[in-house]
Structures are given as C-alpha cells and as structure tokens.
Amino acid sequence: MSKTFLKALKGEPQTTPPIWLMRQAGRYLPEYLKVRATSKNFLHFCYSPGLAVEATLQPLRRYDFDAAILFSDILVVPDALGQKVEFVSGKGPQLEPIKNMAELESTLSTENFMSHLDPVFQTVNRLSSEIPDSTALIGFSGAPWTVATYMVEGKGSKTYEEIRSIAYQDPEFFQTLIDMLVDNTSKYLIEQVNRGAEALQVFDSWAGVLSENQFIKWAIEPMAKIVENVKSVHPDTPIIGFPRGAGQLYERYVKETGIDAVGLDHTVPLEWARDHLQQHVCVQGNLDNLLVVAGGEALDQEARRIIDILGEGPFVFNMGHGIVPQTPPEHVARLVDVVRGKA
Ligand code: 1CP
C-alpha cells in the first residue's frame, strides 16, 4: 500500500500531509459546468458512468490531489429506495416527503435498490482503472440521519424542526427509517469497495443540530452499525466519519463508532482535536471553505497553522466542509502548493 492518503488513514503520520477537498468536483470548475450542461437532469448525470467518471477526473487534471471522490450524490440512496427525488435548479433537492409509517410502507422498497445503483458501481469500476496510480479512490454515502433529513423534510432545511419533532413524537417510524438506511447504506458501501473504492467517507453533514441524546441515537449508533457491517466484509478498508458540527460530541463519535478517521468541521479547535481525537484516529480537515474563496495571505497562514498543529500525527488536509461554487479555481491551486510545501 504505497498511497500516502491510505497510510495516513491507517494511522501513519506522513512528512507531507496528503490532501483532497470535499466537493472537489463540481460547480466551481468551468469544465464541470460544461459537461453538466449536456445533461438536463442531475440524477441522470450521476447515473451516466461516462459523465460521472469525467467529473471525478476533472479536478485531478488541475490539482495534485492524493485522492479522488466518486462523483455521485448522497440522495441516490432514497432515489434507489423508490422515493421521488428531483434536483431543481436554484432550489436544490426536492423529494416527496415521507412523514409516517404508512407513507414509508407505501413508498419505500428495497427490491430494486442495488440494481438501480448499478450505474454508480460501473462508475467506481471504471475509475479504479482510470485514476493515476498514486491517487486513492474514495467511495461515499450520506449518513442515515443526514439522508433522513431530506427524506422526511422533503428538501434541505434550515432548522430541522420537523424531523427533530418526528424523531421524538414517532420514534417507531423514525427508527424503522434509520434501520432501513443503515442496512441499505451498508450494502451500497460494501459494493463500492467490491468495485474498487479504497476508502469510504460517510457524510453526516447535519449531525450538528442534534441534542446529546439524539446524537447518540441517530448519529453514533447508526454509524457504529454501518462500520461493523462494512468491516465484516472489508476489514482493511478505512472509513472516514464526518459528523459535521458535533462539537464536544466528536470525542464520543470517534470512540464509539469504530471509524479509522474523522472529518473535522472548521469550528473544531485544533489543539483540542490533537489532544482528544488524534490519539485515537487519523484526523482530516479543517480549513474554513470560505477562506479558500477569500484567498491571499490569510489562506496561506491558516493552512500552515493547521499543518503545524495537526501534521505530527496521522492527518489528511481538507476543508471543514465542501468547496462552494464561488471558489476561484486558482485559490485551490495555491492551497495545494502551500500544503505540498511548494509555496
Ligand atoms: O447541478 C448540479 O451540478 C448540482 C450540484 C451538486 C453536485 C455537483 C449536487 C446537488 N451534488 C453534487 C455532487 C456531490 N454531492 C458530491 C460529489 C462531488 C465531489 O465531492 O467532488 C458529493 C460527495 C456530494 C455529497 C452531498 N450531497 C452532501 C454531503 C456533503 C456536504 O456538502 O455536506 C449533501 C448534503 C448533498 C445534498 C445535495 N446535493 C446537491 C445539493 C444542492 C444538495 C443540498 C445541499 C443543502 O441542502 O444545502
């Protein structure tokens, strides 16, 4: 295993930290917008292996990243379970919401789940032979809680009031939904590894809105089960958990889920992460994504500060959340040079 990214995830510190960036493919790249324009429907784009392979490879042609992340979306899982999912331009994802057991039973079915996702598996397969030898291929999914927020609310939310209320008021329905997501997400991730993914990241982007008890029940417990399921088939494949916004609960998440590495959002204090998390797992993060929009001396300084504090232990350089569309591509190039010690 000569890929530095995989070595870091397994707990080996590297002299120069490996780097990749969440949402490194996508709307900030003019070449992405060009191929994206050939397909009206975003899910159709995700299910077209030729287009998804191209979108995955685009950032690698510009930047010297250590890993590529499969081009897809977390919402292919509800789509493959039979829920109506649409991406409306300017509005984000729109789903026909599922708010109770009757709606779950009449809408969701696991029957065609894996065959529906076959184009994604074909993309992984093709990528595993097309990416450069030194680059690792990351497969991914959303975590059950984050995927459920879209399934229940029917769209991206600002407050998550509806789903948090339902989780308290109808725990039987909510547990059934989460269990279904745990089982099927596990199968989805296992098959990505079967087809060539070398590491997995599970995005719990909205974990930060949960109370302590809900975080344990809806973020830690489902993730622990997914890790157990995947490791029972692929014990050596590293898994990165990203419970964005978890605050002090990051520590329990790291200790209780069995993950190999943890993604830190930009609010996590670096010295705290070094002292409380990095002694257990590899840490990944956590540059503020808006600093990459701003660029300049402040970007260089913060990237160097992160490496100074976290670079001694197992560490992967990343941001605290994904690249936003307004990011100038040349700021990303500069960041990679700084992290590589070339600037
Ligand atoms: O028309 C378009 O081009 C749609 C824009 C877009 C893109 C490029 C969406 C819609 N998804 C993606 C790709 C994507 N999504 C990737 C692969 C690209 C890469 O990482 O390089 C990945 C890993 C995701 C994951 C994803 N989708 C997450 C988790 C990560 C995160 O950023 O928190 C989430 C929450 C989504 C949902 C989603 N997909 C797209 C939108 C607009 C949204 C909603 C975001 C929100 O509610 O704020």
Side-chain angles (χ1 to χ4, degrees):
M1 194 168 70
S2 62
K3 301 181 186 185
T4 55
F5 169 71
L6 298 176
K7 286 191 198 164
L9 295 183
K10 286 289 184 185
E12 278 181 46
Q14 305 297 307
T15 26
T16 302
I19 174 170
W20 70 283
L21 300 178
M22 290 185 278
R23 314 292 290 266
Q24 65 192 22
R27 290 171 293 178
Y28 74 109
L29 290 177
E31 59 270 35
Y32 170 78
L33 295 174
K34 209 166 159 198
V35 284
R36 176 69 184 82
T38 64
S39 182
K40 256 193 151 159
N41 171 320
F42 179 67
L43 277 178
H44 178 261
F45 188 93
C46 293
Y47 294 139
S48 305
L51 298 175
V53 167
E54 171 60 20
T56 308
L57 296 177
Q58 283 176 342
L60 302 184
R61 296 190 192 115
R62 279 181 182 253
Y63 313 115
D64 184 16
F65 285 136
D66 293 277
I69 184 160
L70 160 71
F71 191 90
S72 180
D73 195 78
I74 63 168
L75 298 179
V76 297
V77 165
D79 183 60
L81 288 170
Q83 188 171 13
K84 195 163 174 236
V85 180
E86 271 181 320
F87 287 84
V88 182
S89 76
K91 273 176 128 187
Q94 309 282 312
L95 294 81
E96 211 154 86
I98 295 172
K99 299 193 191 287
N100 54 49
M101 194 71 98
E103 288 173 359
L104 182 152
E105 282 169 354
S106 66
T107 310
L108 302 184
S109 156
T110 56
E111 207 176 318
N112 299 319
F113 179 73
M114 291 295 270
S115 59
H116 193 96
L117 294 169
D118 193 60
V120 179
F121 302 135
Q122 288 179 36
T123 304
V124 175
N125 226 168
R126 283 174 56 171
L127 284 168
S128 70
S129 59
E130 289 187 32
I131 62 170
D133 285 346
S134 58
T135 312
L137 179 60
I138 307 171
F140 77 94
S141 74
W145 164 258
T146 285
V147 174
T149 64
Y150 293 95
M151 295 178 80
V152 172
E153 301 241 357
K155 55 183 178 338
S157 174
K158 290 231 170 356
T159 60
Y160 303 90
E161 277 181 14
E162 197 165 15
I163 186 169
R164 291 197 300 116
S165 299
I166 287 175
Y168 285 126
Q169 287 168 8
D170 194 350
E172 194 195 337
F173 154 65
F174 200 65
Q175 187 73 60
T176 306
L177 177 62
I178 293 290
D179 288 347
M180 194 169 180
L181 288 169
V182 165
D183 285 352
N184 290 284
T185 300
S186 301
K187 287 186 189 137
Y188 178 49
L189 292 169
I190 288 167
E191 188 60 15
Q192 291 183 43
V193 179
N194 292 342
R195 301 294 189 99
E198 299 169 281
L200 297 169
Q201 175 151 325
V202 179
F203 289 89
D204 214 346
S205 304
W206 313 123
V209 303
L210 293 166
S211 67
E212 181 174 7
N213 289 337
Q214 283 197 321
F215 185 86
I216 292 161
K217 204 161 169 48
W218 307 126
I220 294 183
E221 287 176 12
M223 186 59 177
K225 286 187 203 142
I226 289 174
V227 172
E228 188 186 335
N229 292 340
V230 174
K231 296 268 179 192
S232 72
V233 184
H234 295 295
D236 298 326
T237 302
I239 303 175
I240 309 161
F242 178 47
R244 194 168 78 91
Q248 293 202 2
L249 289 166
Y250 260 106
E251 196 168 354
R252 281 195 71 171
Y253 184 90
V254 157
K255 289 182 179 159
E256 295 173 21
T257 55
I259 51 173
D260 301 273
V262 67
L264 310 177
D265 66 75
H266 71 260
T267 69
V268 179
L270 299 174
E271 276 148 7
W272 181 84
R274 180 192 61 202
D275 298 342
H276 292 85
L277 307 178
Q278 204 175 26
Q279 49 174 314
H280 303 289
V281 293
C282 173
V283 296
Q284 172 179 284
N286 75 342
L287 185 74
D288 192 334
N289 54 357
L290 299 183
L291 200 39
V292 189
V293 178
E297 188 54 31
L299 170 63
D300 295 8
Q301 275 175 11
E302 180 62 1
R304 292 191 182 111
R305 190 178 78 91
I306 292 169
I307 295 168
D308 280 347
I309 298 172
L310 296 177
E312 303 258 299
F315 172 58
V316 171
F317 195 96
N318 207 310
M319 299 182 305
H321 201 191
I323 297 187
V324 290
Q326 67 271 32
T327 307
E330 59 277 16
H331 292 183
V332 177
R334 170 75 191 180
L335 173 63
V336 176
D337 282 348
V338 170
V339 174
R340 292 259 181 251
K342 290 183 182 158

